[in-house]
Amino acid sequence: MNILVVDDDPVIARLVADTLRADDVEIVEAYAGDEAWSLFRERSFDLLVLDIMMPGMDGFELCSRVRAVSRVPIIFLSAKDEEADKVAGLMTGADDYVVKPFMPRELAARVRSCLRRASYAREGGVPSQLLACRGIEVDVSAHVARLHDVRLSLTPKEFDMLALLLRAQGRPVATRKLYEAVWGEKYLASSSNSVMVHIRHLRTKLAAIDSDQAFIETVWGVGYKIAP
């Protein structure tokens, strides 16, 4: 297994590498976005850990370039802790966002979670089927989502969340269930914020195609559902 760690501070890069290094894990370090992009094009990686603020190509641009050609799991590790920064990172296509200074065990757990979800998808853990409702179509096997025949550009979590809501056929899906199914982690009190941010992204992307309808409703005290 290969993990690419990108940070313009060699001390941080080495700390992350030491945190994630294991018998079956090879860590490759890069200290600039351009260097990381070159490495990504030259070899295969199972996961990327990216800083945002770097000289030249920053983390957002690097993430966008990678996401345009690959679904490899991406985690942002950044000192930028504002909500707008986190939203921007997730909208760019990252699977997770960790704020510096970080707890090594937490970072390692988030990496394992991303790798587990990626492995599950590769092995066909999601059943092959077409889900549809109100003009939304999700082809789980092809990993393609459309609204009114217009393809939606979704992150992996957004895709899985939309599929879960469609499977419920208009019934509310609890916030806890959404989080534990999509993130593959135990639900905590703060987890609802992560779900809320991704629901907001889904609503924005659906509205960009059809702003006349509200597709996802909030069921207060419960969770969310596809509006009838």
Side-chain angles (χ1 to χ4, degrees), residues 185-203:
E185 301 172 358
K186 183 178 180 181
Y187 181 86
L188 302 174
S190 60
S191 303
S192 62
N193 292 330
S194 298
V195 175
M196 180 176 63
V197 167
H198 282 72
I199 289 291
R200 186 188 310 153
H201 296 167
L202 274 174
R203 285 171 169 161

Side-chain angles (χ1 to χ4, degrees), residues 4 43 57 72 143 215-216:
L4 177 61
R43 58 185 300 181
M57 186 191 304
V72 62
H143 213 279
F215 293 94
I216 302 176

Side-chain angles (χ1 to χ4, degrees), residues 29-209:
E29 299 176 29
Y31 310 114
D34 295 322
E35 177 190 6
W37 177 238
S38 296
L39 286 168
F40 180 80
R41 289 184 297 172
E42 292 171 359
R43 58 185 300 181
S44 175
F45 291 98
D46 299 286
L47 183 137
L48 278 60
V49 179
L50 309 181
D51 187 19
I52 292 177
M53 297 182 290
M54 296 183 290
M57 186 191 304
D58 65 14
F60 289 144
E61 182 179 352
L62 176 58
C63 180
S64 295
R65 289 194 183 190
V66 171
R67 190 54 76 226
V69 298
S70 172
R71 293 186 56 78
V72 62
I74 298 173
I75 297 177
F76 274 125
L77 180 62
S78 173
K80 298 170 71 68
D81 60 355
E82 297 294 328
E83 180 184 14
D85 298 317
K86 298 177 183 178
V87 170
L90 296 172
M91 290 288 283
T92 304
D95 298 271
D96 207 343
Y97 193 110
V98 179
V99 176
K100 299 174 183 175
F102 65 93
M103 300 297 291
R105 291 179 61 185
E106 178 188 2
L107 176 61
R110 289 177 181 267
V111 166
R112 287 195 299 271
S113 178
C114 282
L115 291 171
R116 183 169 60 248
R117 289 195 303 271
S119 175
Y120 183 76
R122 286 195 303 270
E123 294 170 2
V126 180
S128 174
Q129 57 182 304
L130 178 66
L131 307 170
C133 179
R134 296 187 56 204
I136 305 173
E137 290 186 354
V138 172
D139 186 336
V140 178
S141 59
H143 213 279
V144 173
R146 293 184 175 88
L147 173 60
H148 304 326
D149 291 327
V150 179
R151 186 161 180 165
L152 290 160
S153 179
L154 304 180
T155 67
K157 287 189 177 68
E158 291 166 0
F159 183 93
D160 293 344
M161 188 174 291
L162 183 59
L164 276 172
L165 291 171
L166 287 174
R167 283 196 184 98
Q169 300 180 342
R171 298 184 300 274
V173 181
T175 303
R176 175 186 294 272
K177 181 177 180 180
L178 281 169
Y179 183 83
E180 293 184 345
V182 174
W183 273 259
E185 301 172 358
K186 183 178 180 181
Y187 181 86
L188 302 174
S190 60
S191 303
S192 62
N193 292 330
S194 298
V195 175
M196 180 176 63
V197 167
H198 282 72
I199 289 291
R200 186 188 310 153
H201 296 167
L202 274 174
R203 285 171 169 161
T204 298
K205 292 178 180 181
L206 291 167
I209 298 173

